[in-house]
């Protein structure tokens, strides 16, 4: 009996090629498209959103061509609670979240992982650009970067457990160029071979997070004061959710010199502005930390760290605190470290672990 794989199929070219590769490797494949939200509920047109009928039909077409069973599963209630509400709550607390991490964590590698077990699947497969490797010497599963640095998505997968890694495959992690993936899709005559990659947050496709939050919650967030680091009032902001750390444009203030958002204070609804020098910091503290490459270290370790998805890695020392949080100390000051974002630690191409920035 062939091994069975559950393929998370978005209708895009990446997950489609991942499915084809697993079929070629002799797996009995089952395709699943996760319906995560209703477009009308998040106020976007079908032309701009994912989870559309055309995406579903593209996935169905690929599954049919590959001779796979294919299902669409409704996860809208789970997505609303685990992703959208977390996203809104974080902004209301003055944080800047990454909902793609929550979607991967609580939907693809939790809810979908559970479905895979119910369907008797040996492994779950996605179109992520990353690699899973078993290290015999360490007796551990490791999460590694993609061989295509431009597409590497290991940052958004730092939360994965040993159990999840042992039952997950990322077939595209060994591709060094995206054109190789599209070439494979053309070879299979997939209808989506030339389909554009998705951009931005799927449920906020126009990128206007604050308008989405107000429309979704039916709340108008109160104006408040812009202040400098000494507490002097500089003007009025239009709701704290409209700003993020490091922002300079869109403040609608007349100032003698450039100033940037350096802190948001939900306790008194103020947004603190400063010159750029105050955006740099040598330290951060992360919570909800997940270690992958080894168990929680007892002594400080030297790593490189990324403080956001598109940030460059920076040399640092990670130290576990008595309360389980992790202090990251950088060799060089880092710009605009932001609460709510993830910090992910690396040792070369291996993900050491990661957590959420809390201070």
């Amino acid at each position: 009996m062939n091994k069975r794989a559950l393929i998370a199929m978005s209708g895009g070219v990446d997950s489609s090629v991942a499915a084809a590769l697993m079929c070629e490797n002799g797996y009995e494949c089952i395709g699943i498209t996760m319906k995560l939200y209703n477009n009308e509920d998040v106020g976007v047109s079908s032309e701009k959103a994912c989870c559309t009928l055309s995406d579903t039909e593209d996935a169905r077409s690929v599954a049919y061509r590959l001779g796979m069973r294919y299902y669409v599963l409704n996860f809208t209630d789970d997505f609303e609670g685990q992703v959208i509400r977390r996203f809104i709550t974080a902004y209301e607390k003055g944080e800047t979240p990454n909902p793609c991490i929550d979607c991967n964590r609580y939907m693809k590698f939790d809810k979908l992982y559970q479905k895979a077990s119910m369907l008797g699947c040996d492994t779950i497969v996605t179109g992520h650009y990353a690699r899973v490797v078993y290290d015999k010497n360490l007796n551990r599963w490791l999460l590694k970067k993609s061989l295509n640095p431009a597409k590497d998505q290991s940052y958004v997968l730092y939360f994965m457990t040993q159990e999840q890694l042992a039952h997950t495959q990322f077939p595209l992690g060994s591709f060094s160029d995206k054109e190789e993936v599209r070439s494979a899709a053309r070879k299979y005559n997939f209808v989506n071979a030339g389909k554009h990659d998705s951009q931005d947050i799927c449920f906020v496709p126009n990128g206007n997070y604050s308008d989405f939050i107000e429309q979704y919650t039916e709340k108008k967030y109160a104006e408040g004061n812009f202040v400098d680091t000494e507490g002097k009032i500089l003007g009025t902001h239009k709701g704290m959710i409209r700003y993020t750390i490091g922002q300079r444009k869109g403040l609608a203030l007349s100032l003698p010199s450039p100033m940037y958002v350096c802190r948001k204070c939900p306790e008194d609804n103020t947004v603190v502005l400063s010159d750029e020098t105050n955006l740099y910091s040598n330290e951060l503290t992360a919570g909800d930390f997940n270690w992958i490459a080894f168990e929680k270290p007892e002594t400080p370790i030297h790593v490189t760290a990324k403080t956001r998805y598109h940030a460059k890695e920076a040399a640092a020392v990670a130290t576990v605190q008595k309360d389980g949080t992790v202090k990251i100390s950088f060799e060089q000051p880092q710009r605009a470290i932001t609460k709510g974002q993830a910090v992910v630690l690396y040792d070369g191409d291996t993900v050491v672990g990661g957590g959420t920035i809390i201070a």
Side-chain angles (χ1 to χ4, degrees):
M1 181 177 177
N2 289 345
K3 289 187 176 181
R4 184 177 294 170
L6 184 148
I7 318 295
M9 301 184 72
S10 65
V13 65
D14 291 333
S15 57
S16 299
V17 172
L21 293 172
M22 294 302 291
C23 288
E24 281 190 355
N25 287 338
Y27 279 81
E28 177 194 346
C29 295
I30 301 173
I32 298 290
T33 293
M34 305 177 75
K35 182 172 177 57
L36 300 176
Y37 57 85
N38 297 310
N39 294 332
E40 59 272 18
D41 290 345
V42 296
V44 297
S45 66
S46 60
E47 291 82 10
K48 292 184 177 181
C50 70
C51 295
T52 65
L53 180 60
S54 62
D55 289 326
T56 301
E57 289 308 309
D58 286 348
R60 192 187 309 276
S61 170
V62 168
Y64 178 79
R65 180 170 288 277
L66 294 173
M68 294 166 48
R69 280 189 283 163
Y70 173 76
Y71 305 99
V72 178
L73 300 181
N74 190 333
F75 288 96
T76 53
D77 289 343
D78 296 304
F79 188 79
E80 196 274 343
Q82 297 287 11
V83 180
I84 295 179
R85 283 293 168 184
R86 286 177 184 273
F87 174 80
I88 292 170
T89 299
Y91 264 100
E92 290 178 334
K93 293 193 302 182
E95 301 173 354
T96 303
N98 188 325
C100 296
I101 292 176
D102 284 342
C103 184
N104 283 314
R105 183 174 190 171
Y106 299 110
M107 304 307 298
K108 292 187 179 72
F109 296 99
D110 186 354
K111 299 299 180 183
L112 199 59
Y113 184 82
Q114 293 173 26
K115 289 292 183 182
S117 297
M118 291 171 57
L119 291 168
C121 294
D122 304 281
T123 187
I124 186 172
V125 178
T126 74
H128 284 98
Y129 286 80
R131 293 177 293 146
V132 177
V133 176
Y134 181 70
D135 189 306
K136 291 182 179 180
N137 293 327
L138 296 175
N139 191 28
R140 292 185 74 85
W141 292 92
L142 302 179
L143 175 64
K144 290 181 173 286
K145 296 177 185 175
S146 166
L147 295 185
N148 180 352
K151 298 292 291 183
D152 176 57
Q153 294 173 300
S154 59
Y155 174 88
V156 299
L157 300 168
Y158 74 83
F159 55 83
M160 293 187 71
T161 66
Q162 288 293 299
E163 172 71 15
Q164 290 169 338
L165 289 168
H167 296 93
T168 300
Q169 295 188 48
F170 302 124
L172 303 190
S174 59
F175 283 69
S176 59
D177 186 86
K178 179 60 180 269
E179 184 52 36
E180 294 180 48
V181 178
R182 294 199 182 279
S183 177
R186 288 191 291 268
K187 183 187 74 172
Y188 295 116
N189 290 318
F190 288 162
V191 66
N192 55 7
K195 193 172 185 177
H196 293 302
D197 292 343
S198 59
Q199 301 291 329
D200 298 318
I201 296 174
C202 66
F203 57 90
V204 194
N206 65 1
N208 195 325
Y209 308 149
S210 56
D211 281 357
F212 165 77
I213 293 172
E214 289 191 334
Q215 179 258 322
Y216 198 87
T217 61
E218 298 182 340
K219 290 164 59 175
K220 182 67 177 177
Y221 290 85
E223 296 183 347
N225 290 324
F226 282 120
V227 299
D228 65 15
T229 54
E230 303 298 320
K232 177 184 175 182
I233 296 175
L234 303 174
T236 302
H237 69 68
K238 297 181 179 180
M240 193 174 60
I241 63 169
R242 297 185 180 277
Y243 308 94
T244 190
I245 305 302
Q247 180 177 338
R248 178 174 71 87
K249 296 181 179 179
L251 303 180
L253 294 175
S254 178
L255 300 167
S257 60
M259 297 191 78
Y260 301 78
V261 175
C262 72
R263 190 164 69 253
K264 298 194 293 183
C265 306
E267 62 272 13
D268 60 4
N269 193 29
T270 58
V271 176
V272 182
L273 305 181
S274 70
D275 60 25
E276 191 171 17
T277 58
N278 278 319
L279 292 180
Y280 288 85
S281 176
N282 287 88
E283 288 186 352
L284 65 83
T285 302
D288 191 22
F289 214 89
N290 180 55
W291 298 96
I292 295 179
F294 38 71
E295 296 298 325
K296 180 174 66 177
E298 300 298 325
T299 58
I301 59 171
H302 290 268
V303 293
T304 58
K306 289 179 67 169
T307 57
R308 59 185 66 208
Y309 185 55
H310 293 295
K312 293 182 179 179
E313 292 174 41
V317 174
T319 306
V320 177
Q321 307 297 289
K322 290 183 179 179
D323 62 0
T325 62
V326 179
K327 183 175 77 172
I328 314 296
S329 302
F330 294 93
E331 289 186 4
Q332 299 294 328
Q334 301 300 299
R335 187 182 188 277
I337 295 174
T338 304
K339 287 196 288 186
Q341 290 284 299
V343 58
V344 179
L345 311 182
Y346 291 88
D347 178 9
D349 66 351
T350 299
V351 176
V352 172
T356 304
I357 299 171
I358 59 175

